[in-house]
Amino acid sequence: MDTNALARTPHPAAAELSRELYALVEELYPICRSITGDGVRQTLAILSRHLPIQVREVPSGTAVLDWTVPNEWNIRDAYIKDASGKRVVDFRAHNLHVVNYSTPVHTKLSLAALRPHLHTLPKQPDLIPYRTSYYQETWGFCLSQHQLDALPEGDYEVHIDATLAPGSLTYGEFVLPGQSDEEILISTHLCHPSLCDDNLSGLSVSVQLARALAALPSRRHTVRFLYAPGTIGAITWLARNRESAARIRHGLTLTCLGDQHPFTYKKTVFGNALVDRAAAWVLGRAAAETGTAHQVIDFFPYGYDERQYNSPGFRIPVGSLMRGRHGQFPEYHTSADNLTFVSPERLAESLDVLRRIVEVVDGNVAYRNLSPWGEPQLGKRGLYKAMGGTDIPDLSMALLWVLNLSDGRHTLLDIAERAKMDFKTVRIAADMLLAHDLLGELRQGD
Amino acid sequence: MDTNALARTPHPAAAELSRELYALVEELYPICRSITGDGVRQTLAILSRHLPIQVREVPSGTAVLDWTVPNEWNIRDAYIKDASGKRVVDFRAHNLHVVNYSTPVHTKLSLAALRPHLHTLPKQPDLIPYRTSYYQETWGFCLSQHQLDALPEGDYEVHIDATLAPGSLTYGEFVLPGQSDEEILISTHLCHPSLCDDNLSGLSVSVQLARALAALPSRRHTVRFLYAPGTIGAITWLARNRESAARIRHGLTLTCLGDQHPFTYKKTVFGNALVDRAAAWVLGRAAAETGTAHQVIDFFPYGYDERQYNSPGFRIPVGSLMRGRHGQFPEYHTSADNLTFVSPERLAESLDVLRRIVEVVDGNVAYRNLSPWGEPQLGKRGLYKAMGGTDIPDLSMALLWVLNLSDGRHTLLDIAERAKMDFKTVRIAADMLLAHDLLGELRQGD
Amino acid sequence: MDTNALARTPHPAAAELSRELYALVEELYPICRSITGDGVRQTLAILSRHLPIQVREVPSGTAVLDWTVPNEWNIRDAYIKDASGKRVVDFRAHNLHVVNYSTPVHTKLSLAALRPHLHTLPKQPDLIPYRTSYYQETWGFCLSQHQLDALPEGDYEVHIDATLAPGSLTYGEFVLPGQSDEEILISTHLCHPSLCDDNLSGLSVSVQLARALAALPSRRHTVRFLYAPGTIGAITWLARNRESAARIRHGLTLTCLGDQHPFTYKKTVFGNALVDRAAAWVLGRAAAETGTAHQVIDFFPYGYDERQYNSPGFRIPVGSLMRGRHGQFPEYHTSADNLTFVSPERLAESLDVLRRIVEVVDGNVAYRNLSPWGEPQLGKRGLYKAMGGTDIPDLSMALLWVLNLSDGRHTLLDIAERAKMDFKTVRIAADMLLAHDLLGELRQGD
């Protein structure tokens, strides 16, 4: 894509953009999502107000790779009532109170018989944990340790008003065409119930990235945005889109982008794919600008849907961008991952970094110096300040770097890395040289 | 080899094994060995009580590579007597007192005339040095500086009752067949006289390794144990076994394995051979377990018989496992390398580390994931705990790592290194996946 | 070249050599050089008293690569006179006072009108800056800030008695034939006026290197010494010598070799060319010997004529040897770069290091071990001390290293790097092995 165009794209003022990012998280927060069901459909309907997302339904029982699309789960209400009929655990208070994908149940049990179905976090006694049981039929409730400790012995009425029955799995996608049919994939999971950072933050940032890229006059790559339940959603998409999958050159999963932690980028299984280098470069430059830390970590076959994309059959280079790391902050997968845990400013920062990474991935071209014998005389073209003998600024150095390394074997990111410059500076220098016919596209055989 | 089988191999309890390792060193200590002669034969006879070693004799004068098998040396007695007839230096007290391979002599000399034949360690005045003169015919005595200082002027009777005459060079080998005729070589020099760490420790550990491996139901590689005099022994073996040499894929020389020093592994000339990576990995894991240090050093063309195996004609990747480093501890090649310098516990530790290295070298296979499109559903196969949302333990991660990297280009050691796991954990995960038909052997062309 | 011969070359005693190096700088210092003109010719005439340099003249207007040889500039006098007729800025006092390549001017101006033509260094108020305007026709004066501050308002007579007219560009070269027509290039710019370190130091060291190499019986490479104006001189030479340029295998630009700074080596664009490795090795060894620091920095497309040689059309691996770094010491391009800024001792050190780098580049051969099966018996050839059991010195280790790594894939520098030895020690060991027929030249196919 034309990065200058991107920089010029009219978009809401920074503060307004921050507010929009946060507002979408707020709107999505109350919905009880799962890997199937109406919560997913509601979520996609809200996202579709911002983007023309195509919603897909895949029937329960469909074989997808080594898996099978499960029955659809929907829940209306759930509670535990004490002997007095008072709801002591109430789904209406927080949808984390029910183990996600619980089978329906309505019975009376002693506290002792109930205990194996109750999940708490003894070390974080104020918080409700998030638990799921997608592929083993069972039911359960999650509650704070304090809640549990306060329950007297006695009988309890347990009711989960849910259905687990043939239906379908729902996901959405939005494809932004580019000059080439080679694709960049932005994949976010949308299966978590009321958890803000994981992963309403990813959904909100993804939607705003799509809007920003859609506003550009053009992009080199086609960009595909996928909104699907974790694991089974990615597997379903891969099973149904083998040809599209084969065209994906670069990808990112997005998660936990609204919290206060510095950025973490998790590499693809390749370890040195373009998206790996682009993310490391952008995060390094951004960290230097702001004086903050960041980390780049190696791939491991756990986490989010990068696991599926990077599997040996597909080997699509998909990295993962996040702030707080999966499983490594105390609010992770608890009721503390709420609206106070994420902020408009951090969401906006995440969007900015993500845009810059996509700019690099999309704009990383190798050129050919058309005047490769010695340095071309920049002065006569007005590309060099006339008075020698002093230091030259960054852009002049960028011109010299692009000329020196444009031998067909170095891309602009190679040059930025070697020159230790922002990708954008190098991109601008290349555009100036292209305009002066000092740089050209590669010819076949270069 | 089947590492679970190895782990299950009945063997003497650890304490008894330590005692056996030490007892063999004790038994071999008094013998005066050299690069030829009856000391070598006696030593091999003792080792043969534990292993069915084949003993080879190669006649003096035989051309072996660029060398010639020397005359055989045998010694019965040696002394220096003072004017009163008292033995002031006595071979019977310590066989280091005679320069190894000294020519016979019986004469009377003034102390001044004798001095050029006397070797001491002035900076370690209590210790007798170890000196040899295999290829230059001369004679000499080694004694402590204190002994030398106490000798009054006067005439001395010098007697070395030795023979240096046509005979043969003796070495032993024991070959443990495996599924393949590709070989692992374990080579130890057996030419040193009364020096415990260098290299009775190596002999003892080698014999116990052979017994442990022999007790296994099978091994992937054939394992060859060589017990030969340093330099000329390895050269003789190589000269007579070109075809066997060409089948050796991995090797180790063993030395100084009974002292208190942390482990040192000296790499092959290749620097990144499998045995190099296996040794570095095992030592690193062992060091982390015990909180001790270890070092991995680069190859250099000096030391023990790895010099010969790694020579440019053969280029057999043979590393060297040791504790104290050749020439870098004060007891090295002195009378202080005695029975108190080595201990049962350190010998047992060395055997344990050596076994683990051989396990990696023998068990390092690359497999093919038979369900490579996305992750196979482990849950339905009972390979995954049912309740999601929490951390998974090491073995579950090992399953995911083996699945993700089993694309035919990663061996189990590659996976262990990348996953930062014990090789054994990865090996067990691979065995589980093999049992569930999720993993297969490589096919031709993989 | 035969490094022993080099070491044995009779040359002036070190102190005399230091004096000669400095004396040449002294003699050249007063001349006002530029990229063309009589100052260049005078300079080449002086150098030609030491070396039979061939002087080339290239007419103004000649097209050279993307450039054109400019008009020739000569200057006779220049001044600014105050109202009383006193020269307040006087070219005769220091040739830096005139912007190099100023167009002729003779006029009267108010101080206000004059100011845009006056250049100072406000932060170094005692120093005159060095400024040039080769390709934009203008004129100017350089003076110290103190001088400028002392000028009262009023009218000034300005006179630059210069000519800028068709003529020619002048450069010199000296070619020392070798066994091969593959070349080493030593390139120094000679366009700077009265600046000692940049680059009379380079000229002086280059001339003495040429004399030392010329005194050798032979060299493997042809060595070409180029003395040319910066940028346009290198471009002109490259434009006229495409075939010679294609034969250059290794090169160095020399600059700032007389100051007190530790050495800096700037790598070629390749980053791992032989000259890069040779310079890093020699500087590392020299720094270890003297306990001083040094640095090896990455290539960047600015600095001296390495920019042209390393351009993508030519890609000749030319590094740059310097002490103080271009633009990074306060005396750089000011009147403080004078005869007190450079010293005989530092010039001599630079020559020594440069010779050692050229020795490595010229003498870096790969051999074949002619006795590659095991170690050859060095003892029977008198190459090994007879009594074993103790440490062996550096040369014996060098023999073993050369034997082990001479498999046709390792050059002597590879061996020196791996053995952590002086290149000369390894070179001597190789010569000993060659003399004993244990080493041979590579055959075709090796």
Side-chain angles (χ1 to χ4, degrees):
Chain A
M1 67 200 66
D2 176 344
T3 56
N4 293 319
L6 185 60
R8 288 192 306 267
T9 304
H11 62 70
E16 193 185 324
L17 182 60
S18 302
R19 278 193 299 273
E20 283 189 29
L21 283 160
Y22 188 78
L24 185 53
V25 171
E26 277 183 311
E27 187 177 3
L28 296 170
Y29 182 59
I31 301 169
C32 182
R33 277 161 294 270
S34 184
I35 56 171
T36 60
D38 291 332
V40 175
R41 292 187 192 97
Q42 272 178 268
T43 299
L44 288 169
I46 291 170
L47 299 187
S48 294
R49 293 208 313 267
H50 302 275
L51 275 188
I53 291 173
Q54 299 226 273
V55 177
R56 320 281 184 183
E57 299 282 351
V58 182
S60 300
T62 305
V64 284
L65 305 180
D66 187 60
W67 301 60
T68 305
V69 174
N71 281 339
E72 181 177 329
W73 184 71
N74 284 292
I75 182 165
R76 287 159 293 280
D77 191 10
Y79 56 80
I80 303 174
K81 281 186 182 165
D82 65 12
S84 73
K86 186 186 150 214
R87 289 186 174 215
V88 293
V89 176
D90 186 357
F91 173 75
R92 297 175 313 191
H94 207 303
N95 58 37
L96 291 184
H97 275 314
V98 172
V99 170
N100 206 287
Y101 249 67
S102 281
T103 48
V105 64
H106 195 169
T107 186
K108 221 165 225 176
L109 288 173
S110 70
L111 182 58
L114 183 54
R115 275 188 188 276
H117 293 275
L118 301 183
H119 306 279
T120 66
L121 295 167
K123 293 185 183 167
Q124 296 170 290
D126 291 319
L127 305 184
I128 312 166
Y130 165 51
R131 292 284 182 274
T132 69
S133 187
Y134 302 135
Y135 302 102
Q136 177 168 306
E137 295 205 355
T138 184
W139 59 267
F141 286 85
C142 299
L143 62 166
S144 76
Q145 185 64 38
H146 287 153
Q147 274 180 294
L148 177 59
D149 294 344
L151 294 186
E153 293 300 325
D155 282 352
Y156 289 88
E157 180 193 347
V158 169
H159 188 195
I160 297 180
D161 178 13
T163 46
L164 183 57
S168 62
L169 177 148
T170 314
Y171 66 83
E173 54 186 326
F174 169 65
V175 177
L176 195 55
Q179 296 163 15
S180 155
D181 66 356
E182 300 197 339
E183 295 194 4
I184 298 171
L185 172 70
I186 305 294
S187 174
T188 49
H189 60 279
L190 87 170
C191 48
H192 285 31
S194 290
L195 294 164
C196 283
D197 201 32
D198 180 13
N199 192 26
L200 302 179
S201 68
L203 294 174
S204 181
V205 167
S206 172
V207 162
Q208 292 295 350
L209 175 70
R211 292 178 63 194
L213 298 183
L216 296 178
S218 75
R219 294 147 300 275
R220 285 191 178 76
H221 293 77
T222 294
V223 189
R224 180 181 301 269
F225 295 83
L226 183 59
Y227 306 96
T231 305
I232 188 66
I235 282 170
T236 299
W237 185 87
L238 286 165
R240 292 161 49 97
N241 295 277
R242 295 270 185 149
E243 284 184 27
S244 296
R247 287 194 299 267
I248 302 172
R249 295 288 169 270
H250 324 281
L252 282 166
T253 62
L254 305 183
T255 185
C256 298
L257 289 172
D259 63 65
Q260 301 290 329
H261 293 91
F263 287 102
T264 289
Y265 174 75
K266 176 188 169 183
K267 294 196 222 178
T268 71
V269 72
F270 299 92
N272 63 349
L274 175 57
V275 66
D276 297 326
R277 295 174 51 214
W281 191 247
V282 167
L283 289 179
R285 301 294 292 181
E289 286 159 21
T290 58
T292 56
H294 77 283
Q295 52 178 343
V296 174
I297 61 173
D298 286 332
F299 178 82
F300 53 91
Y302 198 60
Y304 295 101
D305 289 327
E306 63 277 6
R307 299 159 67 170
Q308 309 307 329
Y309 303 122
N310 285 286
S311 65
F314 293 104
R315 282 287 192 259
I316 305 172
V318 174
S320 190
L321 184 67
M322 65 199 96
R323 301 185 73 111
R325 276 184 63 182
H326 167 266
Q328 304 213 343
F329 51 93
E331 299 85 355
Y332 176 78
H333 277 194
T334 74
S335 53
D337 181 2
N338 57 27
L339 285 165
T340 66
F341 187 59
V342 300
S343 73
E345 295 73 22
R346 298 295 87 79
L347 289 163
E349 270 181 13
S350 297
L351 175 60
D352 178 60
V353 156
L354 176 62
R355 277 176 63 151
R356 289 165 69 178
I357 295 171
V358 173
E359 276 174 37
V360 176
V361 169
D362 191 56
N364 185 43
V365 179
Y367 293 105
R368 193 165 52 86
N369 177 341
L370 300 179
S371 180
W373 303 96
E375 284 173 17
Q377 194 177 1
L378 298 179
K380 69 184 182 192
R381 296 172 175 91
L383 290 172
Y384 208 73
K385 57 183 182 164
M387 179 69 64
T390 56
D391 281 346
I392 57 167
D394 227 30
L395 183 59
S396 296
M397 277 306 290
L399 291 169
L400 294 175
W401 273 112
V402 172
L403 285 168
N404 190 293
L405 293 180
S406 286
D407 53 7
R409 289 190 298 278
H410 296 89
T411 66
L412 297 187
L413 179 58
D414 293 332
I415 297 172
E417 286 175 343
R418 197 147 162 189
K420 298 181 179 61
M421 285 180 181
D422 272 346
F423 182 82
K424 184 165 292 200
T425 305
V426 173
R427 182 69 259 180
I428 290 167
D431 289 338
M432 289 172 65
L433 294 170
L434 284 162
H436 282 83
D437 291 326
L438 285 171
L439 218 57
E441 303 285 331
L442 295 193
R443 292 172 305 192
Q444 205 144 20
D446 273 350
Chain B
M1 67 199 65
D2 175 340
T3 56
N4 293 319
L6 185 60
R8 288 192 306 268
T9 305
H11 60 69
E16 193 185 325
L17 182 59
S18 303
R19 278 193 299 273
E20 281 189 30
L21 284 159
Y22 188 78
L24 185 53
V25 172
E26 277 184 310
E27 187 176 4
L28 296 170
Y29 182 59
I31 301 168
C32 181
R33 279 161 295 268
S34 184
I35 56 171
T36 59
D38 291 333
V40 175
R41 291 186 192 97
Q42 272 178 269
T43 299
L44 288 170
I46 291 169
L47 299 187
S48 295
R49 293 208 314 266
H50 302 275
L51 276 189
I53 291 173
Q54 298 226 272
V55 177
R56 320 283 184 180
E57 299 281 352
V58 183
S60 299
T62 304
V64 285
L65 304 179
D66 187 61
W67 301 61
T68 305
V69 173
N71 281 338
E72 181 176 328
W73 184 70
N74 283 293
I75 183 165
R76 286 160 293 279
D77 193 9
Y79 56 79
I80 303 174
K81 281 186 180 164
D82 66 12
S84 74
K86 186 186 151 212
R87 289 185 173 215
V88 293
V89 176
D90 186 356
F91 173 74
R92 296 174 315 191
H94 207 302
N95 58 38
L96 291 184
H97 275 313
V98 173
V99 169
N100 204 289
Y101 250 67
S102 279
T103 49
V105 64
H106 196 170
T107 185
K108 224 166 221 175
L109 288 172
S110 71
L111 183 57
L114 182 54
R115 275 189 187 276
H117 294 274
L118 302 183
H119 306 279
T120 66
L121 293 167
K123 292 186 183 166
Q124 296 170 291
D126 290 320
L127 305 184
I128 312 167
Y130 165 49
R131 292 284 182 274
T132 69
S133 187
Y134 303 135
Y135 301 103
Q136 177 168 305
E137 295 207 352
T138 184
W139 60 266
F141 285 86
C142 299
L143 62 166
S144 76
Q145 185 65 37
H146 287 154
Q147 274 180 295
L148 177 60
D149 294 345
L151 295 186
E153 295 298 325
D155 282 353
Y156 289 88
E157 180 192 345
V158 169
H159 188 194
I160 297 180
D161 178 13
T163 47
L164 183 57
S168 63
L169 176 147
T170 314
Y171 67 82
E173 54 187 326
F174 169 65
V175 177
L176 196 54
Q179 295 163 14
S180 154
D181 65 357
E182 300 197 340
E183 294 194 4
I184 297 171
L185 172 71
I186 306 293
S187 174
T188 48
H189 61 280
L190 88 171
C191 50
H192 285 30
S194 291
L195 294 164
C196 283
D197 201 33
D198 180 13
N199 193 26
L200 302 179
S201 68
L203 294 174
S204 182
V205 168
S206 172
V207 163
Q208 292 296 350
L209 176 69
R211 292 178 64 194
L213 299 183
L216 296 178
S218 75
R219 293 147 301 275
R220 286 191 177 75
H221 292 77
T222 294
V223 189
R224 180 181 300 268
F225 295 83
L226 183 60
Y227 305 97
T231 305
I232 188 66
I235 282 170
T236 299
W237 186 87
L238 286 166
R240 292 160 48 97
N241 295 277
R242 295 270 185 148
E243 285 185 26
S244 296
R247 288 195 298 267
I248 302 172
R249 295 288 169 271
H250 324 280
L252 282 166
T253 62
L254 305 182
T255 184
C256 297
L257 288 173
D259 63 64
Q260 302 290 327
H261 293 92
F263 288 102
T264 290
Y265 174 73
K266 176 188 169 183
K267 293 196 223 178
T268 71
V269 72
F270 299 91
N272 62 350
L274 175 58
V275 67
D276 297 327
R277 295 173 52 213
W281 191 248
V282 167
L283 289 179
R285 302 292 294 181
E289 286 160 19
T290 58
T292 56
H294 77 284
Q295 52 179 343
V296 174
I297 61 174
D298 286 332
F299 177 81
F300 52 91
Y302 198 61
Y304 295 100
D305 289 326
E306 65 276 8
R307 300 159 66 169
Q308 309 307 328
Y309 303 122
N310 284 286
S311 65
F314 292 104
R315 282 288 191 258
I316 304 171
V318 175
S320 190
L321 184 67
M322 65 198 97
R323 301 185 72 112
R325 276 184 62 181
H326 166 265
Q328 303 213 344
F329 51 92
E331 299 84 355
Y332 176 78
H333 277 195
T334 74
S335 52
D337 181 1
N338 58 28
L339 285 164
T340 66
F341 187 60
V342 300
S343 73
E345 294 74 21
R346 299 294 87 78
L347 289 163
E349 270 182 11
S350 298
L351 175 60
D352 177 61
V353 157
L354 176 62
R355 276 175 65 151
R356 288 166 68 179
I357 295 171
V358 173
E359 276 173 35
V360 176
V361 169
D362 192 56
N364 185 45
V365 179
Y367 293 105
R368 193 164 53 86
N369 177 340
L370 300 179
S371 180
W373 303 96
E375 285 173 16
Q377 193 177 2
L378 297 178
K380 70 185 182 192
R381 295 171 176 90
L383 291 171
Y384 208 73
K385 58 183 179 160
M387 180 70 64
T390 57
D391 281 345
I392 57 167
D394 227 31
L395 183 58
S396 294
M397 277 307 290
L399 291 170
L400 294 175
W401 273 112
V402 172
L403 285 168
N404 189 294
L405 293 181
S406 287
D407 53 8
R409 290 189 299 279
H410 297 88
T411 67
L412 296 186
L413 179 57
D414 294 331
I415 297 172
E417 287 176 343
R418 197 148 163 190
K420 298 183 179 60
M421 286 179 179
D422 272 347
F423 181 83
K424 184 166 292 201
T425 306
V426 174
R427 182 69 257 181
I428 290 167
D431 290 338
M432 289 172 67
L433 294 170
L434 283 162
H436 281 82
D437 291 326
L438 286 170
L439 218 57
E441 303 285 330
L442 294 193
R443 293 172 305 191
Q444 205 145 18
D446 272 351
Chain C
M1 69 201 63
D2 175 340
T3 56
N4 293 318
L6 186 60
R8 288 191 308 267
T9 305
H11 62 69
E16 193 185 325
L17 183 59
S18 302
R19 279 193 299 274
E20 283 189 29
L21 284 159
Y22 189 77
L24 185 53
V25 172
E26 277 184 310
E27 187 177 2
L28 296 170
Y29 182 58
I31 301 169
C32 181
R33 279 161 294 269
S34 184
I35 55 170
T36 60
D38 290 332
V40 175
R41 292 188 190 95
Q42 271 177 270
T43 298
L44 287 170
I46 291 170
L47 300 187
S48 294
R49 292 207 315 266
H50 302 275
L51 275 189
I53 290 173
Q54 299 225 273
V55 177
R56 319 281 184 184
E57 299 282 351
V58 183
S60 299
T62 305
V64 285
L65 305 179
D66 187 61
W67 301 60
T68 305
V69 173
N71 281 339
E72 181 177 328
W73 184 70
N74 282 292
I75 183 165
R76 286 159 294 280
D77 192 9
Y79 56 80
I80 302 174
K81 281 185 183 165
D82 65 12
S84 73
K86 187 186 150 212
R87 290 186 173 215
V88 293
V89 177
D90 186 356
F91 174 74
R92 296 174 315 192
H94 206 303
N95 57 38
L96 291 184
H97 275 313
V98 173
V99 170
N100 206 287
Y101 249 68
S102 280
T103 47
V105 65
H106 196 169
T107 186
K108 222 166 223 175
L109 288 173
S110 70
L111 182 57
L114 183 55
R115 275 188 189 275
H117 292 275
L118 301 184
H119 305 279
T120 66
L121 294 168
K123 292 188 184 165
Q124 297 171 291
D126 290 319
L127 306 183
I128 312 167
Y130 165 50
R131 292 284 182 273
T132 68
S133 186
Y134 302 136
Y135 302 102
Q136 175 168 306
E137 295 207 355
T138 184
W139 60 266
F141 285 86
C142 299
L143 63 165
S144 75
Q145 185 65 38
H146 287 154
Q147 273 180 295
L148 177 59
D149 293 344
L151 295 186
E153 293 300 324
D155 282 353
Y156 289 88
E157 179 191 346
V158 169
H159 189 194
I160 296 180
D161 177 13
T163 46
L164 183 57
S168 63
L169 176 149
T170 314
Y171 67 82
E173 55 186 327
F174 168 65
V175 177
L176 196 55
Q179 295 163 15
S180 154
D181 65 357
E182 299 197 339
E183 293 194 6
I184 297 171
L185 172 70
I186 306 294
S187 174
T188 48
H189 61 280
L190 89 170
C191 49
H192 284 30
S194 291
L195 294 165
C196 282
D197 201 32
D198 180 13
N199 192 24
L200 302 180
S201 68
L203 294 174
S204 181
V205 168
S206 171
V207 163
Q208 292 295 350
L209 175 70
R211 291 178 63 194
L213 298 183
L216 296 178
S218 75
R219 294 147 301 277
R220 286 191 176 78
H221 292 77
T222 295
V223 190
R224 180 181 301 267
F225 294 83
L226 183 59
Y227 305 97
T231 305
I232 188 66
I235 282 169
T236 300
W237 185 87
L238 285 165
R240 292 160 48 97
N241 295 276
R242 295 270 185 148
E243 285 185 26
S244 296
R247 288 195 299 268
I248 302 172
R249 295 286 169 274
H250 324 281
L252 282 166
T253 63
L254 305 182
T255 185
C256 298
L257 288 173
D259 63 66
Q260 302 290 329
H261 293 91
F263 288 102
T264 289
Y265 174 74
K266 176 187 167 182
K267 294 196 221 178
T268 71
V269 73
F270 299 92
N272 63 350
L274 176 58
V275 66
D276 296 326
R277 294 174 51 212
W281 192 247
V282 167
L283 289 179
R285 301 294 292 181
E289 286 161 19
T290 58
T292 56
H294 77 284
Q295 51 178 345
V296 174
I297 61 174
D298 286 332
F299 177 81
F300 51 92
Y302 198 61
Y304 295 101
D305 289 327
E306 65 276 7
R307 298 160 66 171
Q308 309 307 329
Y309 303 122
N310 285 286
S311 64
F314 293 105
R315 281 287 192 258
I316 305 171
V318 174
S320 190
L321 184 67
M322 65 198 98
R323 302 186 72 112
R325 276 184 63 181
H326 167 265
Q328 304 214 343
F329 51 93
E331 299 84 356
Y332 176 76
H333 277 195
T334 74
S335 53
D337 181 0
N338 57 27
L339 285 165
T340 66
F341 186 60
V342 300
S343 73
E345 295 73 22
R346 298 294 87 80
L347 289 163
E349 270 181 12
S350 298
L351 175 60
D352 178 60
V353 157
L354 176 62
R355 277 176 62 153
R356 289 166 70 178
I357 294 170
V358 173
E359 276 173 37
V360 176
V361 170
D362 192 56
N364 184 44
V365 179
Y367 293 105
R368 192 165 53 87
N369 177 342
L370 300 180
S371 180
W373 303 97
E375 283 174 17
Q377 194 177 2
L378 298 179
K380 70 184 181 191
R381 295 171 175 91
L383 289 172
Y384 209 73
K385 59 185 183 165
M387 180 69 66
T390 56
D391 282 345
I392 58 166
D394 227 30
L395 183 59
S396 295
M397 277 307 289
L399 292 169
L400 294 175
W401 273 112
V402 172
L403 285 168
N404 189 294
L405 293 180
S406 287
D407 53 8
R409 289 190 300 277
H410 296 88
T411 66
L412 297 187
L413 178 58
D414 294 331
I415 298 171
E417 286 176 343
R418 196 148 163 189
K420 298 183 179 61
M421 287 182 179
D422 272 347
F423 181 83
K424 185 165 292 201
T425 305
V426 173
R427 181 70 257 180
I428 290 168
D431 290 337
M432 289 172 66
L433 294 169
L434 284 163
H436 281 83
D437 291 326
L438 285 170
L439 218 57
E441 303 285 331
L442 296 192
R443 293 171 306 191
Q444 205 144 21
D446 270 353

